[in-house]
Amino acid sequence: MPQATATAAEGTRDGAGSARGAVGVTGTGTGTGAGSGPGAGTGTGTAPAQGSDFAPLLRAVKGQGLLERRTGWYAAGIAANLAALGAVITGMVLLGNTWWTLLLALPLAVFWSRTAFVGHDAGHAQIAGGRRAGRAIGLVHANLLLGMNEAWWNDKHVRHHANPNHIDKDPDVGVGALVWTQKQAAQREGFARWLTRNQARLFFPMLLLEGIALKISGFQYLRQQPARERALSGLLLVAHLGIYATLLLSVLSPGKAIAFALVHHALFGLHLGMAFAPNHKGMEMPDPDGERWGHLQRQVLTSRNVRGGMLTDWFLGGLNYQIEHHLFPSMPRPHLRLAQPMVRAHCKSLGMPYVETGLIESYRQALRHMYEVGEPLR
C-alpha cells in the first residue's frame, strides 16, 4: 500500500502548482459531462488569480489538529477486525464439511475488505508516520492476509492520487477491460468492442472477478520489484495461498473448498468495487493538453463524495469522503468527516463545485458515464 502517496498527492501544498485564472476542462469524452453531479462536468472550475488556493485550507485543517495520528483508534480497529476474522474462521471449523459453511463466505469477504481498508490507510501514513512501520502493516494486511501485493498497489495508487482522472497519467482510467472516454472506445475491436458497448450493464458482474484479478496482478508485479523486495513480497503471497488452501481443505471437501473460494473472492471483489466505483467515475477529466491544475482543483473536481451516516462510513471504509481523502491523503480516516465542512465551505468561497451524492445516485452516475462512453459503438 502506498506509503509515498501522502508526499505525491500533497506535494503541491506550497502553491507551486496552483492554477491561475479560469481552467478549461475536458469532461468525460462524451461532450456532456453527464453523470458527474451538480456543477461538475461543466469546465468552469476556477481558482484565485494569485497564490495557492489550497494553502488557507491546509492551515485551517492543521490548526484543528486533523492531520495528527489516531494510533489508538486504528489499533482498536485492527484488533476488532482480526477478532472478527478469527470468529468467522472458527465458525467454519465448527460447521465443518457442509454446504452451510459457504454462508460464511459473505462475512469473510466483508472483513477481508476491512483488512484492505487498513492496508490502504497504512500506505497513506495515516496509521504510523514511519515508513518502516507503515510498510510492515501493509505487508501483513495486503500480502499475507489478502494475497494482494502491496508494492503493486503502491505503484498504481500513487500515480492515481497524483493525477486523478488524468487520461495519460492515472492508471485507473487507462484502457483495460473497461474504458473511460469515447476516444478510447473508438479504438476497440472485436470482443473488446462488444464489451465496451455493454460495459455499463456488465460492470457489477465483472466486479465478481476482481478478487482473483487482484491476486494475479500482484504476482505479475513481482518481476518488476527489486530482488530483495521481491523475495519478501513473494514469500508472503505464497504463504497466504498456503494458509488459505490449508484452511479450506482441512474443513471442506475439495469440491466445496473450490466453491467456497470462488464465492468468497467474488463477494470480496464486489465489495471493494462498490467502495471504489463511486469516487471518480463520471467526474471531470483534465485535458492532457490544457493548463495544469493546482492541487485543490485536481483533487476536488475529479472526486465525488457519498452522503450517509455511520453505516455508509463503515461499508465504504471512509472512502465516501473522497474529496477530503484526496486533498489530505495522510489524514486519519476518523478525521475526514470532521474536515468535510471546512473543505465544503472553502470550495464554496472559491466558487468551485463540491459534488456529493447518495450511494445509489453515485452508482447511477458512474454507470451513466460508462453507458455514454460506449454509446457511439451501439
Side-chain angles (χ1 to χ4, degrees):
M1 300 288 170
Q3 185 70 23
T5 305
T7 302
E10 294 178 17
T12 55
R13 288 175 173 176
D14 60 1
S18 63
R20 290 171 171 80
V23 177
V25 179
T26 302
T28 61
T30 64
T32 64
S36 58
T42 61
T44 58
T46 60
Q50 297 181 1
S52 170
D53 49 11
F54 179 62
L57 179 60
L58 176 61
R59 286 194 296 270
V61 166
K62 279 187 172 180
Q64 295 293 322
L66 298 181
L67 294 179
E68 296 176 2
R69 302 281 182 271
R70 289 289 300 274
T71 307
W73 186 91
Y74 274 109
I78 290 172
N81 187 62
L82 292 176
L85 287 171
V88 174
I89 292 171
T90 300
M92 293 172 61
V93 173
L94 292 176
L95 281 175
N97 187 25
T98 170
W99 288 107
W100 290 105
T101 303
L102 268 68
L103 294 176
L104 294 179
L106 175 58
L108 188 60
V110 170
F111 293 117
W112 261 30
S113 294
R114 310 304 304 167
T115 303
F117 294 147
V118 171
H120 168 271
D121 292 0
H124 279 296
Q126 295 177 19
I127 302 174
R131 182 181 182 277
R132 184 172 297 179
R135 184 162 187 258
I137 296 172
L139 282 169
V140 169
H141 283 79
N143 292 50
L144 183 61
L145 296 181
L146 300 179
M148 188 173 83
N149 193 338
E150 61 90 31
W152 165 75
W153 178 265
N154 176 59
D155 175 71
K156 181 174 181 286
H157 203 56
V158 167
R159 288 185 284 139
H160 161 69
H161 263 265
N163 292 281
N165 268 13
H166 192 294
I167 202 65
D168 293 334
K169 299 178 180 179
D170 182 358
D172 288 354
V173 291
V175 175
L178 306 174
V179 296
W180 309 104
T181 70
Q182 290 187 354
K183 183 178 179 180
Q184 291 174 333
Q187 300 171 3
R188 306 283 264 184
E189 296 180 354
F191 175 73
R193 190 176 180 88
W194 175 87
L195 192 64
T196 299
R197 282 202 307 268
N198 298 281
Q199 64 179 10
R201 65 171 61 96
L202 292 175
F203 176 68
F204 284 109
M206 289 174 67
L207 287 180
L208 298 174
L209 302 175
E210 186 65 16
I212 295 175
L214 292 173
K215 280 183 163 60
I216 295 174
S217 297
F219 273 99
Q220 290 175 335
Y221 190 78
L222 285 174
R223 57 189 163 200
Q224 300 184 40
Q225 297 179 244
R228 195 169 182 178
E229 183 180 303
R230 182 192 311 137
L232 177 58
S233 295
L235 177 64
L236 291 174
L237 291 176
V238 171
H240 163 81
L241 292 180
I243 293 170
Y244 187 76
T246 299
L247 169 66
L248 295 189
L249 292 174
S250 63
V251 172
L252 300 167
S253 65
K256 292 187 181 73
I258 293 173
F260 185 99
L262 291 175
V263 172
H264 173 218
H265 281 79
L267 294 174
F268 172 58
L270 181 63
H271 187 178
L272 280 188
M274 292 177 70
F276 282 92
N279 300 339
H280 303 282
K281 306 312 180 191
M283 294 301 296
E284 297 279 17
M285 301 183 76
D287 183 354
D289 300 318
E291 185 177 357
R292 181 171 173 80
W293 293 2
H295 183 62
L296 189 73
Q297 286 178 301
R298 189 162 59 247
Q299 307 301 342
V300 174
L301 297 181
T302 60
S303 303
R304 176 194 294 112
N305 275 18
V306 177
R307 296 189 208 94
M310 292 179 61
L311 182 59
T312 302
D313 291 1
W314 187 87
F315 179 74
L316 299 181
L319 296 176
N320 47 312
Y321 301 102
Q322 189 67 193
I323 294 173
E324 289 72 27
H325 171 57
H326 262 257
L327 286 173
F328 307 101
S330 63
M331 180 179 287
R333 194 192 312 172
H335 289 172
L336 294 173
R337 64 180 182 85
L338 303 178
Q340 184 183 37
M342 302 166 65
V343 174
R344 186 193 291 118
H346 184 68
C347 290
K348 183 177 181 180
S349 71
L350 296 173
M352 184 177 293
Y354 179 99
V355 178
E356 186 177 24
T357 72
L359 182 60
I360 302 302
E361 175 63 15
S362 72
Y363 295 139
R364 189 192 68 80
Q365 291 180 5
L367 291 174
R368 181 181 175 186
H369 170 65
M370 285 185 271
Y371 179 83
E372 294 191 353
V373 166
E375 189 169 21
L377 304 185
R378 288 189 286 275

